[in-house]
Amino acid sequence: QIEKELQDVVKQQEEKMFQLIDKSGEVTRLKAEVSQLKRSLQHAETEAKVLWEEMRGKEHQVDTAYVQERVMLRREVDKLRLLLLEKKDENLQLTDKY
């Protein structure tokens, strides 16, 4: 009887463990999705900033090549900032883990 109860408890614990693993995977997937959405938002904000800066000073004289170059450069800066933040997060996670 006691052995059967212990087996039931072990089975319940295993089920809980598998549920936690599933939830952990879902959380990881959602974090990746949030990260991608943040990157997309940053790209859109960057482009909007550059276009706004360019349009603010000029009425009808807009050099599209110059604007595109500015957008590209701003995106590169944002990418580098994001990489830096990701590396800092990785370092924090590794520090916490060990």
Side-chain angles (χ1 to χ4, degrees):
Q1 177 69 20
I2 293 175
E3 187 176 329
K4 181 160 175 49
E5 288 176 13
L6 284 174
Q7 286 175 348
D8 288 343
V9 169
V10 168
K11 188 175 180 178
Q12 289 174 355
Q13 291 299 321
E14 286 177 349
E15 288 174 5
K16 286 180 183 178
M17 186 177 69
F18 288 130
Q19 287 174 351
L20 287 174
I21 289 170
D22 288 344
K23 287 180 182 177
S24 174
E26 186 176 344
V27 166
T28 301
R29 185 184 59 75
L30 289 172
K31 283 183 179 180
E33 190 175 333
V34 166
S35 179
Q36 179 62 38
L37 289 171
K38 283 181 180 178
R39 273 188 235 124
S40 296
L41 177 61
Q42 272 187 324
H43 286 289
E45 287 174 341
T46 298
E47 193 167 335
K49 274 186 212 173
V50 171
L51 290 172
W52 179 251
E53 287 172 5
E54 291 304 312
M55 295 303 292
R56 192 172 5 158
K58 300 176 181 177
E59 290 283 327
H60 299 287
Q61 301 171 333
V62 178
D63 182 0
T64 55
Y66 177 73
V67 171
Q68 288 175 347
E69 182 181 356
R70 291 272 316 253
V71 168
M72 183 192 69
L73 289 172
R74 193 72 86 132
R75 282 184 180 167
E76 289 299 315
V77 169
D78 286 344
K79 273 187 206 174
L80 291 172
R81 276 194 195 117
L82 185 62
L83 284 173
L84 179 63
L85 290 173
E86 287 174 357
K87 290 299 175 186
K88 284 182 179 180
D89 286 346
E90 285 177 23
N91 287 342
L92 286 174
Q93 288 176 355
L94 287 173
T95 303
D96 290 344
K97 186 175 181 179
Y98 296 106

